[in-house]
Amino acid sequence: MSLPPSLPPNESLSTSSVSAPATGRGGARRGWVVATWLLLATLLLVSALAAYLWVTTARWQESSAGWEADARELGQQVAQLDESLTGATAELEQARGQLTTAQDRITELADEKAQLGDENVVSQQYLDYQERVSDAAGTVATALDRCIDAQAQLIGYLEDRDSYDPDDLDRFADDVDDLCQSATDANAQLQTELTE
C-alpha cells in the first residue's frame, strides 16, 4: 500500500489557488437588470414631464378662455358706448337746431307783440322769454358736450382696461350715465320752454 503523494511544503489548499467562476450567464443577467432599471427610470421621468406639460397646457387654455371672454365683454361695452355717443351727438345737433329755431321764433314773437301794443311790456316779455329759452338751450348744449366728452373718455379707458381698477371704471361709467341723464333732463326743460 502506498502513501498519497505529499504536497509541496509551500503549497496549501487556499482560496488563492481556486479560480473565480467565469462571468457567463450571471454577468448578462446583471446587465439586463441595470438596463431594466434605467429604462424604468427614464419612463418615470418622461411620464412626469408629460403630466407637467398636460397640467400647464390645461391652465394655459383656462387662462386663454378667460382673456377671450374679457375681450368679448370689452368689445360689447365699447360698441354700446359708441352707440350711446352717436345718440348723444345727434341730440346735441338737434338741440343746436332747436336753439336756432327758438331764437328765430323769439324774434318773430317780439315783432308780433311789438305791433300789438305797449312796446315796453312786449320788450320785457321778449327779454324774459329769450332769457329762459337761452338759459335752457345753453344748459342743454353744455350738458350734451359734457356727456359726449365723458363718453369719449370712457371709451379710451375701456380700450386700455387692464391699466385701470375695474371698480373705478364702473364708478366712472355711472358718472357718465348721470351726466348724460342731466343732458336729457335739460333737453326736456328746453322743450317745455319752447312750447310756452
Side-chain angles (χ1 to χ4, degrees):
M1 181 163 119
S2 64
L3 292 172
S6 63
L7 292 173
N10 290 338
E11 291 186 24
S12 64
L13 290 174
S14 71
T15 57
S16 63
S17 63
V18 179
S19 63
T23 55
R25 198 168 182 201
R29 182 174 181 172
R30 188 175 308 151
W32 183 83
V33 169
V34 169
T36 301
W37 279 108
L38 284 175
L39 183 62
L40 183 59
T42 302
L43 182 62
L44 287 174
L45 182 62
V46 168
S47 296
L49 180 61
Y52 170 76
L53 291 175
W54 181 77
V55 168
T56 302
T57 301
R59 287 182 183 164
W60 179 84
Q61 288 173 339
E62 290 173 8
S63 175
S64 177
W67 281 107
E68 187 176 338
D70 288 346
R72 282 193 187 116
E73 179 183 344
L74 179 61
Q76 289 173 350
Q77 288 178 356
V78 168
Q80 289 171 349
L81 284 171
D82 278 340
E83 183 179 323
S84 179
L85 180 60
T86 301
T89 303
E91 282 184 30
L92 178 60
E93 290 304 317
Q94 181 183 9
R96 286 180 178 155
Q98 289 173 347
L99 176 60
T100 301
T101 302
Q103 288 172 338
D104 292 343
R105 181 67 180 140
I106 288 169
T107 303
E108 289 173 10
L109 287 173
D111 289 344
E112 289 173 10
K113 290 194 178 197
Q115 293 172 6
L116 294 176
D118 186 2
E119 289 185 12
N120 290 333
V121 172
V122 171
S123 295
Q124 186 59 45
Q125 290 174 346
Y126 167 77
L127 291 174
D128 290 344
Y129 182 74
Q130 184 178 20
E131 185 177 341
R132 285 194 318 270
V133 170
S134 293
D135 286 346
T139 301
V140 169
T142 301
L144 285 173
D145 279 337
R146 291 178 67 199
C147 172
I148 289 168
D149 289 342
Q151 285 181 333
Q153 189 175 7
L154 179 58
I155 288 171
Y157 290 158
L158 289 175
E159 287 174 350
D160 189 21
R161 185 181 198 106
D162 294 337
S163 298
Y164 302 98
D165 183 323
D167 293 335
D168 289 343
L169 286 176
D170 290 341
R171 279 192 293 277
F172 187 77
D174 290 342
D175 291 343
V176 170
D177 288 343
D178 291 343
L179 278 175
C180 293
Q181 184 59 48
S182 296
T184 301
D185 295 344
N187 190 30
Q189 180 64 34
L190 174 62
Q191 300 306 317
T192 301
E193 290 295 339
L194 289 174
T195 57
E196 290 182 0

